[in-house]
Amino acid sequence: MSSPNQRMGRRRKKTQKRRILFFTLFLPLLLVVSTGAGYGAFLYKKAETIVSDSYMNDGREKSALRDAEVHPLEDNVSILFMGIDDNKRRNYGDNTRTDALVLATLNVKDKTIKMISIPRDTYAYIPEEEDYNKINHAHVVGGPKATIEAVEELLDVPVDYYVRLNFYAFVDVVNALDGVKFNVPYDIREKDSSDVHYTYVKEGMQTLNGEEALAVARTRHADSDIERGKRQQQMLQAITKKATSFNSLTKYDELLEAVGSNMRTNLTFSEMKSLITYAESDKGMNYESLSLKGTDDFLASGAYIYRADETELEVIKGKLQRHLGIEPSDDSSADEDSESEEESYSTE
């Protein structure tokens, strides 16, 4: 009989061969849309058309955890970024699992952003199924709405908006920016966007093209889902810095093209434009990165899951609730002495 470690090794080998990780931290591109709208009627109209074509209502008037509707220009809001494997060769369509989930909370007064990466194998209650499962399974049974409800159930905060995209948008965005500078932590060999060939990236600081950046964002050969989540957020910082720089103004047309049909969101054009206020802050775009601690585990069936640490989960809930101006529960109020991992950074 194989040990849990042996089963873990086989599982990782299998998922690494098949998995496409999508860059779902889409806030910089939303800012590009809203910023680019200020550089002429052509870009404005193009941005408006793309966002309108990408709009897909999630079936809710508002979050069930909200007393009233919110607007990012006036209220603290949250955005759930979903990455899906929409590889044409695999023809998943809307029934695919989410390959990455990141919740961002935005505080309108402080112009600060907190982000929490949710490992795709996190064991969570799926309201759509009325049962527990890996959180990435929610999208299979109910698309964005079921995923939103599962995240709300896990973190006990409202999810006001969602942005769903596939890896084609990520690769095209990075290429449109003529690459991004990134300090690659170790030598990487990963499947490319076709899920057929391999991309090789050397360790060290360098300018990455789209395929190379995807390889860095998706790999976990030498670390874990938690480290990969941190790396995705570091990549967000790099792309944001490049996308909002003066030298990138001429690239906005290409960036909008990169979005194209690769995005679905319930953000309207007006709501998306209001996000520019977070980039115009005197402090620059101010992020705090949070990690969801937990342990590797197995179900009786032998299926691998990631089990969130209950104490740390309550700490995360409290941080997000306070950032959104929501009264935290008693269990999540005492987080000052917590050892939960977090990093703060700015794009200034």
Side-chain angles (χ1 to χ4, degrees):
M1 182 176 179
S2 62
S3 68
N5 285 340
Q6 289 173 324
R7 296 200 301 271
M8 170 69 75
R10 288 200 296 267
R11 172 196 167 269
R12 283 182 173 168
K13 182 177 180 181
K14 179 180 179 181
T15 56
Q16 285 165 0
K17 287 177 66 178
R18 296 291 293 167
R19 181 185 256 178
I20 298 292
L21 176 67
F22 305 97
F23 191 78
T24 60
L25 307 179
F26 201 55
L27 188 56
L29 195 50
L30 299 183
L31 292 169
V32 166
V33 169
S34 54
T35 306
Y39 291 89
F42 171 74
L43 279 180
Y44 186 94
K45 184 62 179 177
K46 186 166 190 173
E48 186 176 26
T49 299
I50 285 175
V51 174
S52 297
D53 290 346
S54 300
Y55 182 82
M56 186 172 77
N57 193 292
D58 61 8
R60 312 175 306 162
E61 291 186 6
K62 62 176 181 59
S63 168
L65 299 181
R66 291 287 195 189
D67 294 328
E69 293 185 28
V70 293
H71 191 285
L73 194 61
E74 302 172 352
D75 305 294
N76 303 328
V77 299
S78 64
I79 306 174
L80 180 63
F81 301 98
M82 310 177 194
I84 62 168
D85 188 347
D86 199 19
N87 190 303
K88 293 177 181 177
R89 185 176 69 84
R90 297 168 69 177
N91 195 29
Y92 276 146
D94 286 339
N95 292 325
T96 184
R97 295 177 174 87
T98 48
D99 223 23
L101 286 171
V102 177
L103 181 70
T105 57
L106 290 75
N107 187 284
V108 70
K109 179 180 178 181
D110 298 335
K111 298 298 184 234
T112 54
I113 302 167
K114 292 186 187 294
M115 294 184 299
I116 175 71
S117 298
I118 305 171
R120 55 169 279 167
D121 294 318
T122 300
Y123 196 57
Y125 185 75
I126 312 296
E128 184 75 16
E129 289 190 308
E130 299 183 349
D131 200 359
Y132 283 84
N133 207 327
K134 296 180 182 182
I135 200 164
N136 67 347
H137 186 69
H139 195 269
V140 175
V141 297
K145 182 174 181 290
T147 303
I148 288 169
E149 291 173 347
V151 171
E152 288 185 333
E153 183 75 21
L154 176 69
L155 298 177
D156 199 21
V157 293
V159 175
D160 301 305
Y161 302 103
Y162 81 91
V163 176
R164 188 188 75 182
L165 78 160
N166 58 46
F167 73 89
Y168 295 112
F170 169 65
V171 172
D172 290 347
V173 164
V174 174
N175 286 336
L177 290 170
D178 294 327
V180 293
K181 288 186 177 181
F182 197 84
N183 190 10
V184 182
Y186 47 80
D187 290 351
I188 291 171
R189 175 181 179 267
E190 277 289 345
K191 285 285 187 69
D192 65 7
S193 59
S194 69
D195 202 24
V196 176
H197 306 294
Y198 282 91
T199 298
Y200 300 86
V201 189
K202 286 289 187 180
E203 177 183 356
M205 180 65 74
Q206 55 191 294
T207 299
L208 306 176
N209 63 30
E211 290 289 356
E212 292 167 340
L214 179 64
V216 172
R218 69 185 283 202
T219 193
R220 66 171 191 175
H221 284 282
D223 41 41
S224 64
D225 270 330
I226 292 295
E227 292 303 314
R228 184 173 62 172
K230 293 179 183 178
R231 199 160 50 248
Q232 291 168 13
Q233 295 185 32
Q234 291 165 359
M235 187 71 76
L236 166 66
Q237 182 185 17
I239 293 178
T240 302
K241 185 175 182 179
K242 184 72 176 286
T244 56
S245 69
F246 180 79
N247 292 335
S248 295
L249 296 183
T250 60
K251 301 291 184 180
Y252 286 170
D253 186 28
E254 295 176 59
L255 289 168
L256 291 172
E257 286 289 345
V259 179
S261 61
N262 295 318
M263 178 179 75
R264 289 294 179 267
T265 180
N266 65 340
L267 279 160
T268 65
F269 187 59
S270 172
E271 291 166 336
M272 197 175 290
K273 285 192 300 178
S274 68
L275 295 174
I276 192 60
T277 60
Y278 286 83
E280 293 175 336
S281 169
D282 293 337
K283 299 179 181 179
M285 198 177 297
N286 193 328
Y287 298 92
E288 181 182 15
S289 173
L290 306 174
S291 295
L292 183 60
K293 288 184 177 180
T295 56
D296 298 327
D297 202 355
F298 293 88
L299 300 177
S301 64
Y304 167 81
I305 61 169
Y306 183 80
R307 196 178 293 278
D309 180 275
E310 289 298 327
T311 300
E312 290 297 325
L313 179 58
E314 293 302 323
V315 169
I316 293 295
K317 289 179 183 179
K319 287 180 180 291
L320 298 178
Q321 288 165 351
R322 275 185 288 276
H323 197 233
L324 288 173
I326 297 171
E327 187 69 26
S329 60
D330 292 338
D331 291 339
S332 59
S333 60
D335 67 342
E336 295 301 323
D337 298 325
S338 167
E339 297 181 355
S340 64
E341 297 180 34
E342 57 187 73
E343 297 179 12
S344 296
Y345 51 92
S346 160
T347 60
E348 185 180 21

